[in-house]
Amino acid sequence: LFGPDDPTKADSARFEFNSSDPGATFQCALDGNAFEVCSSPRAYSGLVSGQHRFAVQASNTQGNTDASAAVYDWLVDLIPPVTSVSSAPTSPTKLTDASFIFSADDPTATFECSIDASAFSRCVSPQTYMALTEEAHTFRVQAIDSVGNVDLTPAIHGWVVDITPPVSNITSKPVDPTNSTSASFAFEASETGSTFECSMDSAAYESCASAKSYSGMTQGSHIFKVKASDIAGNIEPTPASYSWMIDLTPPETTLDSIPGILTNVTTANFAFSSSEAGSGFQCSIDAGSFTSCASPREYTELL
C-alpha cells in the first residue's frame, strides 16, 4: 500500500495497492466510512485539514475477504503558519542598523525575510541589516511550515531612519543694547516635535521651551544659546545663539559751548556731547518740556 506524504499540504491523495491473489478484488474506505468497491490506484480530492485514514481490503474469487484491512494514516495540513515580530526598531530612529526578532505559531516553521520590497530569502531570528540609508524602510517576514504552507500575510514593520539633526532658530529676542534686566526668547526648530535645551552665559544646558525668560540679569554682555533634539534623538551640533548688552549706567552730558552769562544777544547756541557714543539728546530751556535735539542747539528771539 502506497499513499501520500505524511504530513502533506495537498488536499488530494492517491493510493496504490495490490494483493497476493492476482485475481482479487478490492474494497476501500476513507475516514471510517463504509467500504465500497474500488481499484488501484484510488484517488480522493477536496480533503479537509486534519488526520485521515485510508483502509483497503481484498477478496478472492471464492469470496474470502482479508480479515485485517491494510491501513494508511496521514495528516493533511492546509493551515499556513502565522508570523509575528516581537522586536523591531523604533520609528523614527537615528540608528542605521536594524535588528528584528520574530516567531511563528508553528515551532517547526522556517522563515523568509524581505527588506524594502526586495525578494524574500531564507532568514533566521534575529535578522539584522546594517548601513541603512536615511529614508523610510519596510521589513517583511513570512513563516513556512514543515509541509510548505506559506504565511499569506507576512508580518510587516515600517520605520524611518533619520540621521539629520534639526536646526533651531531664535524668532524673538531682546534689543541690543538694552537697559532691561530681563530677557525673553522665542525659538523654533526645523523638525516638528523637537525638544530644546537652553544655556545662558555658558552655564550648563538644561531643558527649556519657547518662550524662555530670564530676570534679574546684571549689567554687561550676555549670550543665550539653544539647541534642538529631534524625535529620532539627533542633537543639533551648532546651537543657535544671540549676544546682547545690558547697559544700566546713564550717560554723562557735557556742555561744550554756551553763551556768556550776561549778553545783549537774543540768540543762544549750545554745543554738547555725551560720555557714550551714539547717545541721543533731549533739550529744555527755561523749564520747558524736554524735546529731542541735536548738538549744536540754537534758540532765537530770547527775551
Side-chain angles (χ1 to χ4, degrees), residues 116-133:
D116 296 338
S118 63
F120 279 98
S121 59
R122 184 72 179 270
C123 60
V124 296
S125 180
Q127 172 67 29
T128 300
Y129 299 93
M130 303 181 71
L132 296 171
T133 55

Side-chain angles (χ1 to χ4, degrees), residues 7-10 48-50 75-80 106 145-147 149:
T8 179
K9 68 174 183 176
V48 297
S49 187
L75 176 66
V76 173
D77 181 2
L78 305 177
I79 301 174
D106 182 342
D145 66 19
S146 59
V147 297
N149 291 305

Side-chain angles (χ1 to χ4, degrees), residues 83-222:
T83 318
S84 59
V85 176
S86 58
S87 179
T90 57
S91 184
T93 178
K94 66 178 181 178
L95 301 177
T96 57
D97 297 344
S99 185
F100 299 86
I101 297 175
F102 43 87
S103 60
D105 59 353
D106 182 342
T108 67
T110 58
F111 299 92
E112 291 182 333
C113 297
S114 166
I115 186 78
D116 296 338
S118 63
F120 279 98
S121 59
R122 184 72 179 270
C123 60
V124 296
S125 180
Q127 172 67 29
T128 300
Y129 299 93
M130 303 181 71
L132 296 171
T133 55
E134 184 177 23
E135 61 182 325
H137 296 277
T138 303
F139 170 76
R140 297 181 294 161
V141 56
Q142 60 188 16
I144 305 170
D145 66 19
S146 59
V147 297
N149 291 305
V150 180
D151 186 354
L152 300 179
T153 55
I156 299 175
H157 179 76
W159 79 108
V160 175
V161 174
D162 175 8
I163 59 174
T164 301
V167 177
S168 55
N169 177 44
I170 298 173
T171 58
S172 178
K173 55 202 173 186
V175 296
D176 180 35
T178 179
N179 66 349
S180 175
T181 58
S182 61
S184 183
F185 297 86
F187 38 86
E188 60 187 11
S190 58
E191 294 186 34
T192 302
S194 294
T195 57
F196 300 92
E197 290 184 316
C198 298
S199 169
M200 175 61 73
D201 295 337
S202 300
Y205 281 93
E206 58 182 16
S207 179
C208 61
S210 180
K212 175 64 174 174
S213 295
Y214 299 90
S215 61
M217 303 185 71
T218 59
Q219 176 169 287
S221 179
H222 297 275

Side-chain angles (χ1 to χ4, degrees), residues 218-259:
T218 59
Q219 176 169 287
S221 179
H222 297 275
I223 182 168
F224 170 78
K225 295 181 181 179
V226 58
K227 60 182 177 181
S229 300
D230 64 19
I231 299 174
N234 296 297
I235 300 174
E236 184 176 13
T238 307
S241 64
Y242 178 72
S243 298
W244 81 108
M245 176 70 72
I246 295 177
D247 181 2
L248 303 178
T249 303
E252 293 290 338
T253 309
T254 300
L255 290 171
D256 301 315
S257 175
I258 59 175

